[in-house]
Amino acid sequence: MFEDLEFPVIAAPMAGGPSTPELIGAVTAAGGLGFLPAGYLAAETFDAKLARTAELTGGRYGANLFVPGNRSSVDLTGHRERMRAEALKYGVEPGEPVWDDDEYAAKLDLVVQRRVLLVSFTFGAPAAAEVQRVQDAGGRVLVSVTNPDEAGLAAARGADALVVQGPEAGGHRALFTDDPANPAGGEQYGLLALLRLIQARTDLPLVASGGLVHGADVAAVLAAGAAAAQLGTAFLRATEAGTAAPQRGALAKGGRRTAFTRAFSGRPARGMVNRVLRDLSADAPAAYPQLHHLSKPVRAAAGRAGDPEAMSLWAGQTYELAGEGSAVSIVERLRAEAKAAASRLDRLR
């Protein structure tokens, strides 16, 4: 599946703006591969981005869908009032905490109709019939997993490959089930440990993801048996990325630790600590995507104000080690670093 890549690096699907068709096109031109996120986009907008990405990549790209979860019935009153206090700082009101399925069926239809080469799923394993639809259209199915049990279920549904996400990753944990009692969403396996555990369970190709920002990280997961490495944070400051200016500034400045929070979306996600993450995380309920819709006007207003303190500053644990520049230059640097790291393994011969 990844054997024909010049360099087995994948630009992760970063929903909310960072992953643009231009970023995916540049990574593809540099010998890697990119995934277009469908998350939060209207189906019509997603379709237009699919067309643009296909144009820029010659059809060599992937797309990512969010699998809908169960509707939460938790009381949101307290969190809504806390978010309203934040909203008033920017002269806006919080959004309505509605549940929706992110137009999942329509977006699945689009990737099938456009015969997208690779289709990945996050927040759950698609139904076996949905997997078959993608495969019948000539595509391959990848499922993001965070533990061995999820890997077993994804394999049983017919997945062609697994994206193994360690807790070091920035953004949302790909958990199938969000445990309200655990802020991070369940037991945490480090990426290398998780790769080994899942390799003992399945022969499917594995894509390693989580905290990978240096070429040596890429070499390490390949040496550990991964077929490719998926990087998100490493591309957040790429010229072609749609990362908001306040987040770019916070990434460049550094100095913030990262932590998990449900405060912005209702699902555990790793981001740089800011005021909202610090003050609203403790009591944030497990209610996705209701909290996403609730906080959306606040995040947008903070962005317009150039204030990172009320934005979702998603970033992996190693974000301070990631650089900036064109996506091509980032891939070239990663490739050189990976080759240097691989050469150090000669001492094992």
Side-chain angles (χ1 to χ4, degrees):
M1 185 182 301
F2 306 106
E3 296 83 359
D4 58 345
L5 290 179
E6 290 180 30
F7 184 45
V9 158
I10 295 169
M14 296 178 285
S19 291
T20 63
E22 291 71 25
L23 175 63
I24 296 165
V27 172
T28 301
L33 185 76
F35 274 76
L36 179 71
Y40 312 133
L41 298 176
E44 183 178 355
T45 303
F46 178 52
D47 193 32
K49 288 181 178 288
L50 286 171
R52 177 61 174 159
T53 306
E55 176 186 350
L56 293 173
T57 63
R60 292 177 54 80
Y61 72 100
N64 174 260
L65 306 183
F66 288 167
V67 176
N70 296 324
R71 187 192 307 260
S72 172
S73 59
V74 66
D75 182 7
L76 303 179
T77 304
H79 191 77
R80 187 172 189 170
E81 287 306 308
R82 290 187 288 273
M83 190 58 71
R84 185 170 188 272
E86 284 292 331
L88 292 176
K89 296 173 183 176
Y90 303 98
V92 299
E93 288 287 334
E96 286 300 313
V98 296
W99 183 92
D100 62 51
D101 67 357
D102 201 39
E103 296 188 71
Y104 176 74
K107 292 173 181 178
L108 180 61
D109 286 345
L110 288 172
V111 297
V112 169
Q113 291 163 9
R114 288 193 172 274
R115 305 181 72 85
V116 176
L117 182 67
L118 300 171
V119 181
S120 67
F121 294 82
T122 301
F123 299 155
E130 295 169 338
V131 172
Q132 192 63 55
R133 283 190 66 199
V134 174
Q135 293 168 337
D136 288 346
R140 300 288 186 89
V141 170
L142 296 82
V143 177
S144 299
V145 299
T146 65
N147 62 55
D149 289 340
E150 291 174 352
L153 177 58
R157 295 280 177 87
D160 296 296
L162 304 175
V163 178
V164 178
Q165 186 200 53
E168 305 93 335
H172 284 96
R173 298 285 286 141
L175 302 159
F176 286 14
T177 303
D178 182 11
D179 178 7
N182 191 315
E187 184 175 0
Q188 304 298 302
Y189 297 92
L191 177 57
L192 290 178
L194 186 57
L195 280 171
R196 297 302 299 154
L197 288 169
I198 292 178
Q199 283 171 336
R201 196 128 176 196
T202 178
D203 293 329
L204 291 177
L206 305 181
V207 176
S209 178
L212 311 178
V213 298
H214 192 280
D217 304 333
V218 175
V221 295
L222 294 179
Q230 179 171 280
L231 287 67
T233 300
F235 292 107
L236 279 173
R237 295 169 63 201
T239 306
E240 300 87 349
T243 311
Q247 184 172 5
R248 283 182 183 271
L251 289 163
K253 183 178 180 180
R256 297 177 189 256
R257 66 183 180 86
T258 67
F260 288 114
T261 185
R262 289 192 182 90
F264 293 106
S265 72
R267 260 186 171 270
R270 183 182 291 282
M272 291 181 281
V273 175
N274 59 7
R275 185 181 65 242
V276 168
L277 190 151
R278 183 186 64 243
D279 295 346
L280 274 66
S281 291
D283 299 316
Y288 177 89
Q290 291 98 316
L291 267 59
H292 161 73
H293 294 300
L294 181 69
S295 71
K296 185 176 180 179
V298 184
R299 291 180 278 122
R304 290 192 296 271
D307 183 5
E309 294 303 321
M311 299 175 63
S312 49
L313 304 176
W314 304 145
Q317 283 184 318
T318 51
Y319 77 90
E320 291 178 298
L321 304 178
E324 61 181 340
S326 70
V328 169
S329 70
I330 291 172
V331 173
E332 289 175 346
R333 172 181 59 80
L334 290 167
R335 192 198 305 258
E337 292 168 346
K339 287 182 177 179
S343 70
R344 294 194 289 271
L345 296 179
D346 286 345
R347 63 186 294 190
L348 299 179
R349 294 180 180 174

